[in-house]
Amino acid sequence: MITTEKLYSHYQENPIISTDTRNISTGCIFFALKGDNFNANEFAQQAIEKGASYAIVDEEKFASDQCLLVDDVLSALQDLARYHRQQLNIPVIGLTGSNGKTTSKELVNAVLSEQYKTFATFGNLNNHIGVPLSILSITKDVEIAVIEMGANHQKEIELLCTIAQPTHGIITNVGMAHLDGFGGFEGVKKGKAELYAYLKAHRGYTFINRDNAYLMEMSTKAGLDKLIYYGTENGNTIKGSLKSSDPFIEIDWTNHDVASTVKTNLTGSYNFENILAAICIGDFFDLTPEQINAGLSGYQPKNNRSQLTQTESNSVICDFYNANPSSMSAALNNLSVLTADHKIAILGDMFELGPESAKQHELIVKQASESGIDEIILIGKDFYAYKNEITATFFQTPAEASTYLQEKQIKDSLVLLKGSRGMKLESLLQFL
């Protein structure tokens, strides 16, 4: 059995980690993870033949000089990341929340990179595998890291904190997400608060939206004392107000009585608090207002989150990377107040809601029907259950909806396209 220390010496010589034989680079270390339907131990030798220096396996029959044996490959990956983190003497900002995690992470990184050499989680590599991979991607020249942490059940954030070991942290918000795994909304709060518990135990700094009653309650319960506040009221380190959000967000903000205004390329008034959080963190790390504004105004949203895309025929708000009741409600509210001659909401089912699913879909159906939006298109079996409840167009699958959109040929409209990742609503964009 190879020790973590010995494995780390190999990692220092070959600091590239792979978990997929389709993405083997010369000199990398391949971790043969197991899943419900695969056993990557079986592909360890293939990884070596493709150029990996070593493969990490946990079945003795696959071990060799280059296929190094450990008790459990996943645990070995996590332990290696912990060991690497302990060698890094830099601020690590741990970031979680029900909505806005990835956008907030990108904004914080955009701001801090105006002054520092930064690292931020790639995409949404934010789980028990993604966080170790992110930590192991931090090089010696990085000055600040921003690590996104996602969870769909309790104790997951607690685990990720032991790997990322954040010195600073932020919970963007708590909402109706992953209710099935967390066991309801109170379970969501308890799960996200695991970041607060870690920061309290390790005397870390916490950035908190003072306008959010849930976060204030959770921070008080955790006994946090190193708090940096942002919000819309006086008394915060950063105070902000929404100047415009039609279609792009512009905000006024002050720090230490210095007033500033910044216009961004983000749509959706719900992103106001994410922008304010990035300002607060930038200010804490001594960036000037000019640097902060440059980072925010230069950020271009991507990954189909609050991304306004111009097609040949329409303006489309691409927000179909994921969805839950909180983000869906916010997106509908945003669309209802935007200026456009004709507005359409195309919504797909929301997943991982457990026993709450029927109720939450019903609430979104009701909100959509009362929103004043010109046309509502609802897709998926959960929404389809309400096809006789409101005036809307219903489809059970995206394939059915694509046929309809091809025939209808929507033009000159502002379209919201939002649903859970599993609905694959990106397939509809070509018809808009």
Side-chain angles (χ1 to χ4, degrees), residues 192-428:
K192 298 300 182 184
E194 290 162 12
L195 174 58
Y196 285 171
Y198 182 91
L199 293 168
K200 172 64 176 178
H202 295 83
R203 295 198 52 74
Y205 291 88
T206 307
F207 305 98
I208 185 167
N209 181 357
R210 207 172 202 158
D211 296 341
N212 191 307
Y214 294 128
L215 297 180
M216 292 297 291
E217 171 199 338
M218 291 157 60
S219 68
T220 300
K221 190 173 182 179
L224 294 174
D225 49 9
K226 289 183 161 185
L227 286 163
I228 303 96
Y229 293 109
Y230 60 95
T232 58
E233 303 295 331
N234 292 324
N236 296 308
T237 300
I238 298 296
K239 175 187 175 183
S241 61
L242 185 63
K243 186 174 183 180
S244 175
S245 61
D246 192 5
F248 298 114
I249 298 176
E250 185 175 4
I251 72 171
D252 293 324
W253 63 276
T254 58
N255 68 325
H256 320 297
D257 298 321
V258 177
S260 190
T261 299
V262 61
K263 187 171 184 177
T264 74
N265 296 299
L266 278 167
T267 188
S269 56
Y270 47 84
N271 276 308
F272 165 71
E273 60 192 49
N274 300 329
I275 296 167
L276 213 56
I279 293 171
C280 185
I281 293 172
D283 176 74
F284 178 87
F285 284 102
D286 297 322
L287 272 74
T288 65
E290 292 76 18
Q291 288 175 310
I292 292 170
N293 288 347
L296 292 172
S297 62
Y299 172 69
Q300 293 288 342
K302 49 189 181 299
N303 300 326
N304 301 312
R305 293 176 171 91
S306 304
Q307 183 177 342
L308 186 61
T309 299
Q310 298 293 334
T311 69
E312 289 186 12
S313 305
N314 303 287
S315 297
V316 183
I317 301 172
C318 296
D319 200 1
F320 45 76
Y321 189 87
N322 219 332
N324 57 53
S326 302
S327 65
M328 188 75 84
S329 177
L332 279 171
N333 284 334
N334 179 63
L335 181 62
S336 67
V337 299
L338 292 178
T339 301
D341 292 334
H342 190 259
K343 292 184 275 191
I344 303 173
I346 303 177
L347 310 179
D349 278 355
M350 303 172 289
F351 295 168
E352 296 186 56
L353 297 179
E356 284 281 315
S357 183
K359 176 184 176 183
Q360 296 303 323
H361 281 86
E362 182 180 17
L363 289 173
I364 294 300
V365 167
K366 185 174 187 295
Q367 180 182 349
S369 69
E370 298 173 352
S371 65
I373 295 169
D374 298 296
E375 186 175 353
I376 307 294
I377 300 173
L378 300 172
I379 307 168
K381 63 180 180 61
D382 292 309
F383 277 134
Y384 197 78
Y386 299 95
K387 60 182 173 59
N388 297 320
E389 302 288 326
I390 67 168
T391 301
T393 305
F394 289 83
F395 300 101
Q396 296 197 60
T397 67
E400 294 175 3
S402 67
T403 300
Y404 170 81
L405 292 174
Q406 288 179 72
E407 295 173 353
K408 184 176 177 63
Q409 295 188 340
I410 292 171
K411 293 182 179 180
D412 303 321
S413 297
L414 176 61
V415 184
L416 168 65
L417 191 57
K418 186 168 182 63
S420 278
R421 186 71 194 88
M423 290 299 295
K424 299 181 179 179
L425 295 188
E426 66 272 16
S427 64
L428 303 181

Side-chain angles (χ1 to χ4, degrees), residues 24-162:
I24 296 295
S25 57
T26 302
C28 74
I29 300 176
F30 173 71
F31 279 76
L33 296 170
K34 292 177 179 175
D36 293 335
N37 302 308
F38 65 90
N39 178 3
N41 279 259
E42 298 170 357
F43 306 108
Q45 188 56 42
Q46 183 184 119
I48 298 298
E49 292 167 0
K50 284 188 170 185
S53 292
Y54 298 98
I56 311 304
V57 299
D58 51 17
E59 293 183 23
E60 193 167 357
K61 65 181 179 180
F62 295 106
S64 66
D65 288 343
Q66 286 181 276
C67 295
L68 309 176
L69 187 64
V70 297
D71 283 328
D72 179 80
V73 172
L74 176 58
S75 295
L77 177 66
Q78 294 171 342
D79 288 342
L80 183 64
R82 289 188 185 94
Y83 194 89
H84 181 55
R85 170 65 185 96
Q86 290 163 4
Q87 318 310 311
L88 301 170
N89 186 27
I90 61 171
V92 172
I93 303 167
L95 190 153
T96 190
S98 296
N99 302 305
K101 290 187 296 296
T102 299
T103 298
S104 294
K105 176 256 299 182
E106 295 288 342
L107 289 169
V108 170
N109 184 52
V111 168
L112 293 178
S113 62
E114 289 291 315
Q115 181 167 314
Y116 299 98
K117 170 68 175 178
T118 63
F119 172 87
T121 300
F122 294 123
N124 69 326
L125 290 175
N126 61 16
N127 64 4
H128 61 295
I129 296 172
V131 168
L133 292 175
S134 294
I135 294 297
L136 289 166
S137 297
I138 301 176
T139 54
K140 291 181 179 179
D141 59 340
V142 168
E143 297 173 294
I144 299 179
V146 187
I147 301 298
E148 180 181 335
M149 297 186 289
N152 57 21
H153 59 269
Q154 291 176 34
K155 298 297 183 181
E156 192 167 6
I157 296 297
E158 180 181 285
L159 168 67
L160 299 181
C161 283
T162 71

